[in-house]
Amino acid sequence: MEPSFLRLDGLLEELKAMRKQTKRPASKKRKRRREILVTRDFNAPRHLVYHAFTKPELVTICEIDLKVGGAYRYLWRKPGEKDMGIGGIFREIVAPERVVATEKFDESWYPGAALNTTVFVEQRGITTTSITILYESKEARDTAQRSGMEQGMAAGYTRLEELLSSMQTERAR
């Protein structure tokens, strides 16, 4: 196993210990030195949002072995741009509520790897998705924040919203 993934296993244990100590609502931003919290509401039930996150039709290549210890790999292609690939290992899965997985880009712009904790909460047909990204260092987090990830994630979430809308339309037929 890669050294950066071994370090992430230690970070996962640290997160689990912190979660036992305090329960915080998803809408409250955490101000930890190595984390970024991304929250987005989707006008769709939780099971559909979870499905879209775990069986993404939005990427060129998607390989998912959705089980603890299973691997995933995504590859995005855009004409005229360099491919972007990412992969990792699932560390915790509680369908359709929570997914914890490591994250390592093929050509990473930040040092090391990250640990993503994705939580899905539904209220009245609206699903709030919160992703806490835990980096190995504050430097890695700061580099990721400067990378344009916010615009990339926003574009991906807009495409996901469109997919969810079409999934709901198809189910209504």
Side-chain angles (χ1 to χ4, degrees):
M1 185 178 295
E2 282 188 46
S4 56
F5 287 144
L6 291 173
R7 285 193 301 274
L8 288 174
D9 283 339
L11 294 175
L12 177 59
E13 294 307 314
E14 180 183 322
L15 276 178
K16 285 180 180 179
M18 287 187 288
R19 190 172 67 212
K20 287 179 184 175
Q21 294 170 4
T22 179
K23 297 284 185 186
R24 297 181 184 193
S27 60
K28 188 172 185 178
K29 290 196 176 189
R30 297 178 199 164
K31 301 202 183 224
R32 294 207 174 94
R33 295 169 44 96
R34 297 180 298 151
E35 289 183 351
I36 294 175
L37 175 62
V38 180
T39 303
R40 171 77 178 246
D41 289 339
F42 294 98
N43 188 18
R46 179 170 67 176
H47 72 279
L48 284 182
V49 177
Y50 179 85
H51 173 80
F53 266 78
T54 58
K55 296 178 180 26
E57 286 89 1
L58 301 176
V59 292
T60 306
I61 295 175
C62 173
E63 299 163 350
I64 294 180
D65 184 12
L66 191 62
K67 65 182 181 191
V68 173
Y72 72 92
R73 174 149 172 72
Y74 306 140
L75 180 72
W76 291 269
R77 274 203 176 114
K78 245 179 147 175
E81 293 188 25
K82 193 172 184 177
D83 290 353
M84 185 173 76
I86 186 174
I89 304 294
F90 292 105
R91 298 291 186 222
E92 181 182 342
I93 299 169
V94 182
E97 300 169 12
R98 175 185 176 87
V99 176
V100 179
T102 59
E103 168 189 283
K104 179 94 171 138
F105 283 88
D106 293 354
E107 295 183 29
S108 188
W109 54 88
Y110 62 87
L115 184 71
N116 295 343
T117 302
T118 307
V119 177
F120 306 89
V121 177
E122 181 182 352
Q123 288 186 317
R124 296 183 208 105
I126 304 292
T127 300
T128 300
T129 302
S130 299
I131 302 174
T132 302
I133 307 165
L134 178 62
Y135 295 92
E136 291 182 9
S137 67
K138 181 182 180 306
E139 173 194 3
R141 188 224 40 206
D142 292 349
T143 301
Q145 282 184 308
R146 291 189 300 267
S147 73
M149 71 179 275
E150 187 175 343
Q151 293 84 3
M153 289 183 81
Y157 282 160
T158 297
R159 291 178 64 201
L160 182 59
E161 187 73 58
E162 292 166 1
L163 175 66
L164 289 165
S165 178
S166 69
M167 288 170 71
Q168 291 183 92
T169 301
E170 287 175 21
R171 285 185 160 208
R173 290 182 189 169

